[in-house]
Amino acid sequence: MNERLKLKNQLCFPLYAVAKEVVRRYHHYLAPYKMTYTQYIAMMALWEHRKLSVTELGKMLYLDSGTLTPMLKKMEQSGWICRIRCVDDERKVLIGLTNEGDKLHDKMGEIPEKMSSCLTIESDEAMELHKLLHKLLTTFK
């Protein structure tokens, strides 16, 4: 058998399995807010930047408009964000936080710490993994 085709020799498989497990664990903490992991990372981007265009948010989260648009619509219906047409260019839509979305920031502040307690690697290993994963991400741009 071709060694390159063995599952144990694939970099993609442990990345996939770990990502799936991380999202599954986030679900436990996000469920009380009726929020998905993808909505959560969108909220984190908005908490940090306050206002982003749909295009900017999509690039930041590595999401296409087919995924982003329905998600943003649900987030707006939940009262967390508002979508505003840009005055200068009506084709451009800006995403901003509502007061409710802003309040979630403090309520969800404990989630990263709870998630880090699920990991059994040292903080320096986590930092190195973070660095390597971001390095990999830049190769796909």
Side-chain angles (χ1 to χ4, degrees), residues 59-141:
K59 284 180 184 175
M60 200 174 287
L61 302 181
Y62 295 88
L63 295 173
D64 61 36
S65 62
T67 303
L68 204 52
T69 301
M71 180 189 77
L72 292 172
K73 186 176 182 179
K74 288 180 183 175
M75 292 173 73
E76 189 173 35
Q77 289 168 350
S78 295
W80 305 328
I81 65 162
C82 57
R83 293 186 287 178
I84 309 144
R85 291 248 172 237
C86 185
V87 177
D88 300 336
D89 182 354
E90 287 198 10
R91 296 170 297 173
K92 189 175 181 181
V93 177
L94 298 175
I95 308 300
L97 292 166
T98 62
N99 287 337
E100 189 62 33
D102 221 8
K103 288 177 190 174
L104 283 173
H105 181 265
D106 292 334
K107 291 179 184 177
M108 299 180 117
E110 62 192 21
I111 292 176
E113 187 177 331
K114 287 179 178 179
M115 280 302 298
S116 67
S117 71
C118 296
L119 302 175
T120 57
I121 62 175
E122 299 297 322
S123 62
D124 60 329
E125 292 172 314
M127 288 171 46
E128 182 63 22
L129 179 59
H130 182 268
K131 179 179 154 187
L132 288 171
L133 290 172
H134 276 282
K135 184 177 181 178
L136 272 176
L137 273 175
T138 62
T139 66
F140 294 116
K141 288 187 176 182

